[in-house]
Structure formats: C-alpha cells, structure tokens
Amino acid sequence: MSVKDFIKNSILTSENYSQNDVVGIILSLVIALFLGILIYLVYRRFYAGVVYSKSFAITLIGMCVLTCMVTLAISTNIVISLGMVGALSIVRFRTAVKDPLDLLYLFWAITSGITAGAGMYVLMVASAVIVIIMIAIFYGRPSKGSVYVAVIHYEGTDAGDDIMRAFGKNKHFLKSKTLRGEVTELAVEVYCRGDNFAFEERIRDIKGVKDVTLIQYNGEYVG
C-alpha cells in the first residue's frame, strides 16, 4: 500500500465516525481530564514527602488523558491497536520513584484513563471515591509525634552509656557508632511526641559530649 492510499484510507476512516462517536470521544476525554485534575488535587493535599514535585503532579493529569486517548484508539481499530502495542513496547521509564505512594497515584491515573476510554464511568467514579477515602483515612490523620536522628559527638569511653540513658522513656534505637581517633560519633533514632526535647539538654550536660544535632527523619515509623 502506497503512502497516498494509506492517507486516503485514514481520511475515509475518520469520516466514518458518526456524530455520536465524536460526542462520546470528547466526553471520555473531558471526563478523563477532570478526573486527572481530581487526582492532582488529592496528590497535592495529602503529599507527605520531603520535596513536592509539581511536574509529577501535572504528569498525573496528562497520564490520565493520554491513557484515555490510547484506549479510545485501540478500541476503534485493530491495526492501530497492534501498532500502539509495538510503539509502547519500546518505551522505558527510568525515573526513580522516591515515594512508594507515588506508584498508587500513577496506577490510579492510568487505570482511570483506561476506564474513561472504555466508557466505564461508574467503575471509574466508584474507584476514585474508594481510593480517596482510603488515602484520607490512612494519610489524613495528624501524626502524634516525629522521628529524629540524633547525631552526637563525644570524647572518652564512659559517656556512651550515659548518653543512651539520657533518652529516658523516649523510644530510641542505636543506628550507628563511628570512632574517629578520640572522638566517637553516635547516630540514634529517637521518637518524640510534640516538642519533648528534654533529652537533648540532658545529653549536652554529660561530661565529654561536644555537640548534639537533631535531624528530622521523614521515613515510616511504627511504635
């Protein structure tokens, strides 16, 4: 088949769309767009990572719309569907996902685009409601405390035990211990409720302690 015949057949195929088909396509894309915006707003509201990425949030909207477009194209023409499978098979995504929860938003956007393209609007809305409720329940509650990593430098051999006792009732775990000549560095993970940093003053008053640094840890903690 020549290029001229291919273009001619493509034009004839596009002209065979009825008015209902065009309206359905536009409706699916618009619904996918609005649901992508909803996913964007949920991601921005419940984001709990270190650095918020606006580009990733906007990508969720585009992912939803483009997936809907691919689903619509595949459902109307078997030739396009085979070509699309071949084209997508060579795509490699190498961007590291920093927060595992971001995978949930990615799959939410992709599956929402698929269901919108397939015309399964009830399934799409019901799934969105369930996901939003789940995120609100498990990520909407304010944290009662925070996890810190205390980095302590001290001299001598007797201060180590006194430092660990100074944490008192705060849950703490020794993460690392580094010896550099006469100076020892301790890294201790400690869980604090509210602004209860009294242990920091107790550690600083211990003989041999040179400095105490608290670094907030944004990882997961079960206590």
Side-chain angles (χ1 to χ4, degrees):
M1 180 184 295
S2 64
V3 176
K4 182 178 179 180
D5 293 335
F6 177 77
I7 297 175
K8 182 178 179 180
N9 292 334
S10 301
I11 294 175
L12 290 176
T13 302
S14 62
E15 289 177 350
N16 289 332
Y17 282 116
S18 64
Q19 185 176 359
N20 292 332
D21 293 335
V22 175
V23 173
I25 291 173
I26 295 176
L27 179 62
S28 297
L29 291 174
V30 170
I31 291 177
L33 174 62
F34 278 106
L35 191 61
I37 295 174
L38 176 63
I39 297 174
Y40 165 82
L41 295 175
V42 174
Y43 177 77
R44 187 176 66 176
R45 167 63 179 82
F46 292 102
Y47 182 77
V50 180
V51 179
Y52 172 77
S53 175
K54 187 176 180 180
S55 61
F56 177 80
I58 297 177
T59 300
L60 296 174
I61 303 176
M63 186 78 71
C64 191
V65 175
L66 292 179
T67 307
C68 178
M69 181 197 69
V70 172
T71 304
L72 290 170
I74 291 176
S75 62
T76 55
N77 194 311
I78 184 63
V79 177
I80 296 178
S81 64
L82 294 176
M84 195 71 70
V85 171
L88 294 178
S89 64
I90 65 174
V91 177
R92 295 293 183 269
F93 298 97
R94 300 186 181 274
T95 302
V97 178
K98 298 179 181 179
D99 189 351
L101 190 62
D102 290 348
L103 292 175
L104 172 65
Y105 289 101
L106 282 174
F107 278 104
W108 185 13
I110 293 172
T111 54
S112 297
I114 293 174
T115 51
M120 300 178 178
Y121 305 126
V122 176
L123 175 61
M124 179 183 62
V125 174
S127 301
V129 172
I130 293 174
V131 171
I132 292 174
I133 292 175
M134 181 196 69
I135 294 175
I137 290 175
F138 291 101
Y139 281 86
R141 295 179 301 176
S143 178
K144 296 181 180 180
S146 301
V147 181
Y148 294 85
V149 175
V151 180
I152 306 160
H153 294 92
Y154 66 91
E155 294 179 341
T157 58
D158 299 331
D161 295 334
D162 295 334
I163 290 173
M164 298 305 293
R165 284 193 294 266
F167 287 102
K169 296 182 179 180
N170 295 88
K171 294 182 180 180
H172 59 280
F173 306 94
L174 179 63
K175 304 297 291 185
S176 67
K177 183 176 182 180
T178 306
L179 301 178
R180 296 189 179 94
E182 297 181 355
V183 178
T184 303
E185 178 185 274
L186 288 181
V188 182
E189 180 180 308
V190 55
Y191 178 74
C192 304
R193 290 183 176 271
D195 297 329
N196 183 18
F197 300 126
F199 64 88
E200 188 177 13
E201 299 293 334
R202 294 194 296 266
I203 294 175
R204 189 180 61 180
D205 294 337
I206 295 176
K207 184 178 179 181
V209 174
K210 300 179 65 178
D211 57 71
V212 182
T213 304
L214 283 182
I215 304 172
Q216 187 173 9
Y217 175 63
N218 291 312
E220 302 296 333
Y221 182 84
V222 178

